[in-house]
Amino acid sequence: MSSRPLKAAVAAAIAGAFTLTAAPAQAADPDPFVWGKLTKTYAATGKYAHEATAVADGYVRSDECAADPKEGGMGYHYINPEYAKLTEPDPEKPTALLYEADAKGVRHLVAVEWIVVDADQNLATDDDRPSLFGVPFDGPMPGHYEGMPIHYDLHAWLYKPNPSGLFSPWNPTVTCTPKASTVPDWVPDPADFDDIDWTG
């Protein structure tokens, strides 16, 4: 079998598996077939379950763990500088990967996130709000650190079920270990991402 038919068969199998078995793991999904739409994202990011692969592919590691006492956690954000420049969200190129550390400090991939810069940099307008998989992005919101512009974002909890919903920003089952530098909302150390050019 040539590689092209094989890839098509694998993609179809993944989509079918998601549609039939994975959807019930999430709450409040807007579309019962959304897992089929997420096939490309899952296929493109599954390899990042191995953290070192994410870093090797350009995702910048952060040591700030985002958690909120009421909403839950997001975990550690790893941002890809090249994908931060995209003006349209690409299902296969999420801007950030989210990891959660276990009791031993080993980080596990739990979600992906797309970040799109707000074109007019005005918090009062949202006529340029992007959407993906039929889901509108959250925002516009201020940057989380100095140098990060007003933006929109969308999370997808592909690798850990989220009782709050597949596309909810926070996951109540995600926690930051005592060793982590825990912050309310996502306020990373700017030094982690000082080389990222959000303007493209």
Side-chain angles (χ1 to χ4, degrees):
M1 178 181 285
S2 67
S3 61
R4 182 172 296 177
L6 178 59
K7 289 180 180 179
V10 170
I14 292 174
F18 280 168
T19 302
L20 294 174
T21 65
Q26 303 286 346
D29 292 337
D31 179 348
F33 298 102
V34 72
W35 283 99
K37 298 178 182 179
L38 283 161
T39 300
K40 290 183 178 180
T41 304
Y42 190 90
T45 61
K47 61 184 177 180
Y48 299 134
H50 185 226
E51 181 197 10
T53 301
V55 175
D57 279 0
Y59 283 93
V60 180
R61 193 178 196 270
S62 171
D63 288 323
E64 302 291 338
C65 185
D68 182 274
K70 294 182 179 180
E71 301 292 340
M74 290 184 187
Y76 297 92
H77 290 71
Y78 291 45
I79 294 179
N80 188 308
E82 290 303 312
Y83 300 163
K85 300 176 183 178
L86 299 178
T87 57
E88 296 289 338
D90 185 328
E92 298 182 80
K93 298 178 180 179
T95 317
L97 305 173
L98 276 60
Y99 288 83
E100 180 182 29
D102 61 24
K104 295 182 179 179
V106 178
R107 297 186 184 184
H108 303 274
L109 181 63
V110 292
V112 300
E113 179 182 2
W114 292 268
I115 302 171
V116 176
V117 174
D118 180 25
D120 63 9
Q121 291 297 288
N122 187 344
L123 291 171
T125 64
D126 64 354
D127 55 307
D128 60 344
R129 180 188 304 279
S131 64
L132 196 60
F133 316 116
V135 180
F137 277 45
D138 295 315
M141 65 190 76
H144 300 295
Y145 63 92
E146 184 176 356
M148 185 179 187
I150 296 171
H151 63 281
Y152 298 91
D153 66 30
L154 181 69
H155 297 73
W157 295 89
L158 298 183
Y159 300 101
K160 185 170 188 177
N162 186 352
S164 296
L166 176 60
F167 297 107
S168 175
W170 299 96
N171 188 330
T173 70
V174 171
T175 59
C176 294
T177 66
K179 295 180 180 180
S181 176
T182 307
V183 292
D185 202 347
W186 176 37
V187 186
D189 182 347
D192 289 341
F193 304 124
D194 59 4
D195 291 331
I196 294 178
D197 179 9
W198 294 96
T199 64

